[in-house]
Amino acid sequence: LWSARRTTGRPQRENSKREIRCDLRLIVQPTKMAKVTLSVRSTLLLASLLGPAAALSPARTPQLPLLALRGGSRPAAPTPAAHQVFRNIEDEGARRCAEPSDKLFWKSIVAGACVGLGGTLCAGIGGDIGDVPFWAPGQGLKRFAFGAIGFPLSIALVALTGSSAWTGNLPMVGAALRAGKADLASAARLLGINYAGCFVGTVLLGMLTAFAALPAAMPTIGISLHKLELTGLQTLLRGVGGGALISLAITLANCAVQSGGSVADVVVAVFLPIMTYVACDFEHVLANFYFFASAICAGGELALAPVLRNLLFSTAGNLIGACALGGYFLTWANGPVAAEPEKRVEAAAAPGGGA
């Protein structure tokens, strides 16, 4: 026989309404199978439910959210206003225009290699699905795979490693020029060194792809021949679209960083614009550096004149789309005058702003 008797600490009295008695009887019959009889007798009046029941139960620690038990939660930072994002892009463009030439060149080579890595993944998977090329009519899923797998990696690597890609710098330079935070000479120096370094990095990755006989080597030949079939005007217009989408990816990545975002936030921010430009078959001169270098080294017969024409018009298109549209004019539209209504709304929403 085991019995337990607990009270709330007040003086015990017979017939107390705050008493709980539990009797547990265990009876074992040795000659038969063990038979257990459990009898629990409780005397608990309704008035004791809210009082001693809580006192008799052990104190419970407050339950923490599951995320807190796994290491803590990070409070979400407010999304910065559009004019704040573009002011930061202007400042970053001015900083890059003043960067030392030697560091800029090596950062550009690394950025070109990052673009080449994305091209290797892109051509080796999306560019190598079936016999029908992805740019043919009725091959939308192949175009989606070609865009979703590959070049989003390139822009994410460039953004997270602090490298300096030519097309990524174009919107920053255009924004800095519009705001008067950089001059034409420093901008030309930056873009010239940047272009040369990215050329070296992408060509080296193209050569590595071909000479290592990677799965992407042969698909780059077909991709390059497809690009050379375009007219100069088609290449220019496609370059404008590609440059504009790349500038939007830079803007979204900047917004993610200003919001206190993590690595995953930056990757997600750049994914949609870059996937869109690749899947829609827009032009990007740095990607073309890689494709042409890999195709030539892999034995593709590419004439020099069409290659140079493609590079010329895709470069011009990227300049217009990323530097002029995505950099200069977009920051002008979100400049101090255009941002005044937005600033007034922020001031009214701030604590004490309505006073």
Side-chain angles (χ1 to χ4, degrees):
L1 174 66
W2 174 87
S3 69
R5 178 168 179 163
R6 307 241 353 229
T7 65
T8 61
R10 296 185 178 183
Q12 297 184 5
R13 290 176 296 177
E14 290 187 12
N15 301 326
S16 173
K17 295 181 179 181
R18 299 184 178 276
E19 180 180 12
I20 298 176
R21 178 177 297 171
C22 298
D23 293 333
L24 179 64
R25 294 183 176 88
L26 179 63
I27 303 173
V28 179
Q29 299 179 4
T31 59
K32 299 181 180 180
M33 294 180 62
K35 180 178 179 182
V36 178
T37 302
L38 178 66
S39 173
V40 177
R41 186 177 66 225
S42 304
T43 304
L44 180 64
L45 298 179
L46 181 62
S48 66
L49 288 176
L50 298 178
L56 291 175
S57 62
R60 294 183 178 180
T61 58
Q63 296 294 324
L64 297 177
L66 182 60
L67 184 59
L69 293 177
R70 291 182 176 178
S73 59
R74 176 170 52 90
T79 302
H83 67 86
Q84 296 172 338
V85 174
F86 286 105
R87 299 297 78 75
N88 185 72
I89 290 177
E90 293 171 357
D91 295 338
E92 181 63 18
R95 186 193 69 79
R96 297 198 178 199
C97 285
E99 197 166 14
S101 299
D102 54 348
K103 291 187 177 181
L104 174 62
F105 183 70
W106 287 107
K107 285 185 176 182
S108 303
I109 294 177
V110 174
C114 292
V115 173
L117 289 173
T120 304
L121 184 62
C122 182
I125 298 179
D128 195 26
I129 301 177
D131 297 328
V132 181
F134 67 87
W135 58 84
Q139 303 301 316
L141 289 178
K142 290 184 180 181
R143 284 192 291 274
F144 174 77
F146 188 74
I149 304 173
F151 281 112
L153 169 69
S154 300
I155 306 301
L157 289 176
V158 170
L160 295 172
T161 59
S163 305
S164 190
W166 183 77
T167 37
N169 284 338
L170 287 178
M172 301 181 195
V173 170
L177 288 174
R178 186 216 63 85
K181 298 178 180 180
D183 53 30
L184 282 174
S186 61
R189 180 194 68 88
L190 165 67
L191 295 180
I193 298 174
N194 204 193
Y195 194 87
C198 288
F199 174 81
V200 173
T202 51
V203 168
L204 287 176
L205 259 292
M207 296 171 63
L208 183 148
T209 300
F211 295 145
L214 297 180
M218 299 310 295
T220 58
I221 298 177
I223 295 171
S224 299
L225 293 175
H226 163 65
K227 291 178 175 294
L228 297 182
E229 293 174 351
L230 302 174
T231 65
L233 179 60
Q234 290 172 336
T235 304
L236 176 69
L237 295 177
R238 294 188 182 202
V240 172
L245 284 166
I246 291 172
S247 72
L248 292 176
I250 297 300
T251 302
L252 292 179
N254 193 283
C255 182
V257 171
Q258 288 192 55
S259 301
S262 63
V263 172
D265 295 324
V266 176
V267 173
V268 171
V270 303
F271 175 78
L272 284 178
I274 301 304
M275 183 273 293
T276 301
Y277 114 71
V278 180
C280 291
D281 207 11
F282 286 121
E283 289 292 298
H284 180 201
V285 65
L286 301 188
N288 292 354
F289 285 157
Y290 166 78
F291 287 131
F292 293 156
S294 176
I296 292 173
C297 294
E301 297 181 359
L302 276 63
L304 181 60
V307 168
L308 293 178
R309 182 190 65 189
N310 177 281
L311 296 178
L312 174 63
F313 283 104
S314 60
T315 298
N318 290 163
L319 272 169
I320 296 172
C323 188
L325 297 181
Y328 192 96
F329 288 108
L330 196 55
T331 52
W332 170 79
N334 288 277
V337 176
E340 283 303 321
E342 194 173 5
K343 290 180 179 179
R344 286 197 293 269
V345 172
E346 291 179 353

